[in-house]
Amino acid sequence: SQTIHQWPATLVQPVGSPLSLECTVEGTSNPNLYWYRQAAGRGLQLLFYSVGIGQISSEVPQNLSASRPQDRQFILSSKKLLLSDSGFYLCAWSTRTGTNSPLHFGNGTRLTVT
Amino acid sequence: AQKITQTQPGMFVQEKEAVTLDCTYDTSDQSYGLFWYKQPSSGEMIFLIYQGSYDEQNATEGRYSLNFQKARKSANLVISASQLGDSAMYFCAMPRDGGATNKLIFGTGTLLAVQP
């Protein structure tokens, strides 16, 4: 069966520090991968979308970047964090075939920028 | 552009009763899908149920069912026989690009509290 791992679970970082969140998927090949952010008490906002290694689509202007160095690995990064980067970050995967296949989410990373 | 609206910020239900969580959507596409997710306080997003716009029957998954009214553009989630573990945020979602991709847009969610 497929599983998705996301770490760390929580992170407290000072403003201006770098960020690296990692997500890996097991049990499937060539997944679509996603990074979402959820502000406190709000819905989810799509940040990045990837259909393959090195193929990243940025969905909103922001201070963050994403990379996909391997088929089942998705990394969210920042060189210098802003206070506004605080939030709950969720990685997700879906199958490539079937545009109405659901997204499967990791457990999320709660980031607090101080 | 697609849009999802959930007008109930919070709902209460007594244990063992049924509850309906509202979701309306806006799209100009003929073919689309609607998803419901559950987010417990721990944070993970759990996929519950899916309804395709051309599905003839309303979707059901165990105690979850969708009251899909295409003409009204509504896809309400019905939870039967509520349990304490059903207390969570519930999000309605649909593909942003008319189903051309899996990119989902989400409503603002409904916080459900099940009371003993």
Side-chain angles (χ1 to χ4, degrees):
Chain A
S1 64
Q2 302 91 353
T3 55
I4 179 168
H5 303 281
Q6 189 179 341
W7 68 93
T10 59
L11 193 58
V12 180
Q13 292 283 100
V15 168
S17 64
L19 173 74
S20 181
L21 303 181
E22 189 162 342
C23 171
T24 59
V25 181
E26 296 177 358
T28 187
S29 297
N30 303 316
N32 289 340
L33 296 173
Y34 312 77
W35 279 111
Y36 279 84
R37 176 170 59 201
Q38 183 177 29
R42 310 258 328 251
L44 277 69
Q45 180 186 38
L46 179 62
L47 301 178
F48 297 98
Y49 169 68
S50 173
V51 297
I53 296 173
Q55 300 178 63
I56 310 294
S57 167
S58 177
E59 301 297 318
V60 293
Q62 59 194 299
N63 181 45
L64 304 169
S65 62
S67 61
R68 184 171 177 174
Q70 300 181 46
D71 180 48
R72 291 171 289 173
Q73 184 185 26
F74 207 21
I75 297 171
L76 184 68
S77 304
S78 174
K79 292 183 179 177
K80 290 186 177 181
L81 283 168
L82 306 172
L83 287 174
S84 58
D85 292 325
S86 292
F88 189 55
Y89 290 83
L90 286 152
C91 180
W93 72 272
S94 70
T95 57
R96 292 252 183 118
T97 57
T99 55
N100 289 324
S101 60
L103 302 190
H104 303 279
F105 288 85
N107 289 337
T109 295
R110 200 164 302 278
L111 172 66
T112 304
V113 182
T114 60
Chain B
Q2 278 76 359
K3 184 179 179 182
I4 293 280
T5 302
Q6 293 180 256
T7 58
Q8 306 156 310
M11 290 279 288
F12 288 97
V13 64
Q14 289 294 122
E15 196 177 6
K16 299 181 184 178
E17 292 186 350
V19 62
T20 298
L21 306 183
D22 294 342
C23 172
T24 58
Y25 58 91
D26 192 17
T27 180
S28 57
D29 295 310
Q30 296 301 310
S31 178
Y32 51 89
L34 291 142
F35 301 81
W36 276 92
Y37 283 84
K38 172 184 179 181
Q39 187 178 38
S41 57
S42 53
E44 73 270 31
M45 293 284 285
I46 303 167
F47 166 65
L48 295 178
I49 195 167
Y50 165 78
Q51 177 81 48
S53 59
Y54 282 115
D55 293 343
E56 294 185 355
Q57 306 234 343
N58 286 342
T60 61
E61 285 287 347
R63 293 187 298 109
Y64 304 109
S65 61
L66 262 171
N67 182 3
F68 181 52
Q69 299 186 43
K70 196 171 180 178
R72 290 186 163 187
K73 293 189 175 178
S74 74
N76 299 336
L77 178 70
V78 180
I79 305 175
S80 62
S82 297
Q83 301 173 357
L84 295 178
D86 293 333
S87 295
M89 281 288 286
Y90 289 82
F91 292 95
C92 182
M94 72 183 303
R96 187 187 75 185
D97 301 321
T101 70
N102 305 75
K103 300 176 186 178
L104 296 185
I105 58 167
F106 289 79
T108 52
T110 296
L111 181 61
L112 176 66
V114 180
Q115 297 175 321

